[in-house]
Amino acid sequence: AGNEAIAFSELNITEAFGSKELIYTWDFNVGAQGWDPYINEGVTGTHGVAGGKYVFDITEGTGTDWHIKYAYYNYEVKAGHSYEIKASLISNVAGTVKFNGADKQIKVGHNELTTLIETRVDTTNNIELQFGLLTGPFKVELESIKIFDSFKSVDEEKTVPVDTLKAAI
């Protein structure tokens, strides 16, 4: 009779993650713990561990992001893992900083900054906080930096073969 019918299917695919686990905390009570502080020669000020925090007390900067930074080079990461890095800091000025290359806004007082590292192969990554974009005299006190790990897991019982997905579409 020329009748037609249209059927719709909805397919939701979500990436499976394991639980987020705190794998490391740097709290600066015992020093820099592998972190590499850097102040360019054009910057005036001091930096170092004081009162369980890593403190940058800058009287004059250059306005260049990497001229004042705190970095951990060659942090080992594993394939299939997603790493969330959280930095807790106190600042006496508001402005822009960089966290692993991304601009982050901070306010006067307590701040929590977050960045992610997604890994596809076993490798190393750098973790960098850059404070050189802050203007005027400023003081930044790093309280802690934490790394959380989420392993991407696949539940074999819920895995659908690609041919089955194609047939459903």
Side-chain angles (χ1 to χ4, degrees):
N3 295 333
E4 291 184 18
I6 298 174
F8 293 94
S9 296
E10 188 172 309
L11 177 63
N12 293 319
I13 299 173
T14 57
E15 194 167 9
F17 283 92
S19 61
K20 186 166 62 169
E21 176 185 353
L22 176 64
I23 58 172
Y24 204 85
T25 299
W26 288 278
D27 62 11
F28 312 112
N29 284 317
V30 293
Q33 303 176 47
W35 286 83
D36 187 13
Y38 176 78
I39 294 183
N40 188 279
E41 58 190 42
V43 174
T44 306
T46 62
H47 64 94
V49 176
K53 300 175 180 123
Y54 200 92
V55 179
F56 286 92
D57 194 355
I58 306 300
T59 55
E60 188 176 336
T62 61
T64 306
D65 53 7
W66 60 269
H67 278 191
I68 305 165
K69 69 180 174 179
Y70 203 64
Y72 193 99
Y73 297 108
N74 300 315
Y75 183 79
E76 291 185 22
V77 294
K78 296 178 184 173
H81 289 248
S82 175
Y83 298 90
E84 179 181 87
I85 305 162
K86 286 189 174 184
S88 177
L89 59 95
I90 299 169
S91 176
N92 70 346
V93 298
T96 302
V97 299
K98 286 193 179 284
F99 196 9
N100 272 22
D103 286 355
K104 303 284 184 174
Q105 298 302 310
I106 63 170
K107 63 184 187 309
V108 174
H110 188 262
N111 294 268
E112 294 282 337
L113 304 177
T114 303
T115 190
L116 298 174
I117 298 174
E118 296 284 339
T119 60
R120 304 214 185 287
V121 295
D122 288 355
T123 187
T124 60
N125 276 67
N126 297 337
I127 304 167
E128 292 185 332
L129 281 161
Q130 299 175 345
F131 302 110
L133 291 173
L134 296 175
T135 57
F138 67 87
K139 185 175 186 178
V140 172
E141 301 174 339
L142 280 167
E143 297 177 303
S144 68
I145 298 174
K146 297 179 180 183
I147 296 186
F148 298 87
D149 181 6
S150 296
F151 180 70
K152 297 177 183 178
S153 62
V154 176
D155 186 340
E156 294 296 330
E157 294 178 14
K158 295 181 181 177
T159 302
V160 179
V162 172
D163 291 339
T164 303
L165 288 175
K166 288 180 182 175
I169 295 173

